[in-house]
Amino acid sequence: MSMQTSVCVVGGGPAGLTLAVELARRSVPVVVLEASGHFNRSFRGESVSPDSVWLLDRLGLLDRLDGSYVQMHRMEIDDSGHTVFRAEFADFRYPHPFPVELPQPTLLAALAETGAGHPGFRLLQGATATGLLYDGEGAVAGVRARTPDGETEIRASLTVAADGRFSKVRDMAGLAYRKVPLERDVIWLKLPFPYDAWDDRTYRVRIRGDQHGLFIPTRPDSVRVGFNIPKGGLREMRGQGLPALYERLDLLAPELSATVREQVRSWSDTSMLDIFTTVVPRWSAPGLALIGDAAHTLTPILGQGVNHAIIDAVTLAPRVAAAFSDDGGSTASLLAAAEAFQRSREGSVARSRALQLRQERLFTLDGAMGSAWRRTLYRVVSSSPRLTRRVLAGAYFQVQRPGERVAKVQAAL
Ligand SMILES: Cc1cc2nc3c(=O)[nH]c(=O)nc-3n(C[C@H](O)[C@H](O)[C@H](O)COP(=O)(O)OP(=O)(O)OC[C@H]3O[C@@H](n4cnc5c(N)ncnc54)[C@H](O)[C@@H]3O)c2cc1C
């Protein structure tokens, strides 16, 4: 079996599906290959930045997602038992000032449903790209794939690698990249939400010495907990047994001491995220473009992965559609579109990466001097709305302009 289409997207995550919807909406035929047979991923990006909420609203998806997400109202950082930073998102005069917590399976299902409403959209689930096809000039001309119906070839004028942080398409195309490991990894787990102790509209960051934990309210009735361990330290921690994990949480969030002992009975109740960021100098080659994590893996700080995945998609789609309407989608015009896309996006990605790395460095400061410096810095930023806005703008407000239409979600508060 083989297929012919204009664009073949490898990976049906937030980046790939948003791109496919945006192309199909512009009447560009698109086939999405998704290796998994379902959208039920656990422990994936669920924090969606205000900019992406604004984009989802503009794409007409927010209404479809009504009731599936929770707006977050503030962020609080507590260092050694003292609140050193608090930001109230309502203070930011943007159309959508609030990040939301939205289960990724719900977002992906809504995107797939929206795509299915356009005749040119095709999603193949359980289909894995296994190799690249090339034309006589050496340009990528589609992929070979393993599907539930057997091996197939999908020929396309443009292939898009939206296959995530371990992108195989990027490897197959020989595009160089640099993986920058951070000093620590993160263990994630989910617990019932402690409503008696916490409100469920606050992102909490707790720091003690060089240890920190993220506590993110999650639907339904849960809190996602992420806390750092030394790079590659999982084996050592496992060797110490689950009590070591319980004690780590006792230190950061005693409110969760009882529930963690009830709920986490084996290491399979946790998952480990290898924290690294990837710098890819070229996001394209003839016939190929990279988007989302495949082009720029970020760290979990301030939930930026889904955000940049969605912004990439809405930035690339009109350029690709224009290349098809200009000259039918020649290799040269599609390459120019992909290069222009990278130029317009890489500054914003670099700003988010720099903010994340600065934040990570602050988290790892230890000793009396280091901790005192960190607390002072957070307090100074927290005391100035202008500084707080400037710091958070690098992650939350790169696309929206202040003072635009006040969000209906905000008006409804
Ligand atoms: C534990 C964890 C927690 C996170 N928390 C957050 C958060 O709170 N907020 C946030 O913004 N980000 C978070 N992230 C990051 C976020 O999930 C990613 O940045 C985001 O999903 C990137 O979207 P993407 O579409 O580029 O890639 P992905 O979401 O990784 O999607 C890639 C898709 O490609 C498919 N695929 C891979 N190879 C092939 C192939 N050969 N053929 C076909 N399909 C293939 C995969 O099955 C996958 O569905 C988290 C990540 C992890 C791992």
Side-chain angles (χ1 to χ4, degrees), residues 64-378:
R64 200 184 273 270
L65 293 166
D66 219 8
S68 323
Y69 61 85
V70 179
Q71 275 179 18
M72 300 308 296
H73 291 170
R74 64 192 65 79
M75 179 185 296
E76 247 176 44
I77 303 181
D78 175 305
D79 196 333
S80 312
H82 302 283
T83 302
V84 290
F85 177 89
R86 178 180 284 126
E88 291 287 343
F89 300 132
D91 291 344
F92 300 123
R93 305 310 295 168
Y94 289 89
H96 282 280
F98 304 105
V100 304
E101 287 302 308
L102 166 64
Q104 208 177 98
T106 311
L107 171 64
L108 298 181
L111 285 165
E113 253 177 63
T114 309
H118 299 283
F121 175 95
R122 185 138 183 226
L123 168 63
L124 302 180
Q125 289 182 289
T128 304
T130 53
L132 293 177
L133 306 172
Y134 290 90
D135 68 13
E137 311 290 315
V140 174
V143 299
R144 263 191 302 282
R146 198 173 49 243
T147 77
D149 301 324
E151 298 288 323
T152 187
E153 285 187 357
I154 293 132
R155 299 202 156 265
S157 306
L158 179 69
T159 299
V160 178
D163 52 343
R165 60 209 308 258
F166 300 109
S167 173
K168 287 281 179 301
V169 174
R170 185 182 61 204
D171 289 347
M172 291 189 284
L175 284 175
Y177 63 94
R178 188 162 50 89
K179 189 170 153 183
V180 185
L182 268 66
E183 283 177 38
R184 291 117 45 95
D185 290 330
V186 170
I187 290 191
W188 287 102
L189 49 98
K190 232 181 221 186
L191 296 173
F193 195 84
Y195 285 106
D196 49 342
W198 290 349
D199 76 273
D200 63 353
R201 300 300 183 104
T202 301
Y203 286 137
R204 289 180 173 76
V205 181
R206 297 265 175 101
I207 311 174
R208 290 244 168 207
D210 68 344
Q211 301 193 19
H212 80 269
L214 311 175
F215 302 88
I216 304 172
T218 296
R219 282 180 71 92
D221 300 323
S222 310
V223 54
R224 266 194 304 153
V225 178
F227 63 90
N228 69 285
I229 58 170
K231 191 90 207 152
L234 184 63
R235 181 191 289 252
E236 191 184 328
M237 189 158 185
R238 281 186 168 209
Q240 295 165 1
L242 282 170
L245 179 144
Y246 301 152
E247 282 159 24
R248 186 67 72 94
L249 262 194
D250 291 345
L251 185 73
L252 293 166
E255 299 91 331
L256 300 174
S257 290
T259 26
V260 71
R261 286 169 172 80
E262 274 161 35
Q263 303 284 327
V264 178
R265 310 305 289 263
S266 94
W267 289 100
S268 62
D269 295 326
T270 69
S271 76
M272 218 277 299
L273 180 61
D274 174 13
I275 306 286
F276 59 85
T277 113
T278 310
V279 180
V280 186
R282 285 197 59 201
W283 299 0
S284 59
L288 179 70
L290 268 52
I291 63 171
D293 274 14
H296 44 66
T297 309
L298 295 167
T299 83
I301 293 171
L302 289 165
Q304 287 300 288
V306 173
N307 190 35
H308 282 288
I310 292 175
I311 303 175
D312 277 1
V314 300
T315 308
L316 180 61
R319 289 177 163 82
V320 168
F324 278 105
S325 64
D326 286 352
D327 68 0
S330 69
T331 304
S333 65
L334 286 167
L335 183 60
E339 287 172 346
F341 152 72
Q342 175 174 355
R343 282 195 298 278
S344 93
R345 292 288 300 125
E346 59 192 354
S348 160
V349 170
R351 279 193 292 281
S352 290
R353 181 183 287 119
L355 174 64
Q356 290 184 329
L357 294 178
R358 276 198 303 276
Q359 189 55 62
E360 174 68 16
R361 257 178 250 127
L362 275 183
F363 284 158
T364 51
L365 285 178
D366 196 14
M369 289 278 284
S371 302
W373 158 242
R374 177 177 58 219
R375 282 195 293 275
T376 305
L377 192 68
Y378 280 134

Side-chain angles (χ1 to χ4, degrees), residues 11 13-15 34-35 41 43-47 127 129 162 224 273 292-293 303 305-306:
E34 169 48 51
R41 314 141 145 221
F43 291 104
R44 281 299 183 95
E46 303 200 351
S47 305
R224 266 194 304 153
L273 180 61
D293 274 14
V306 173

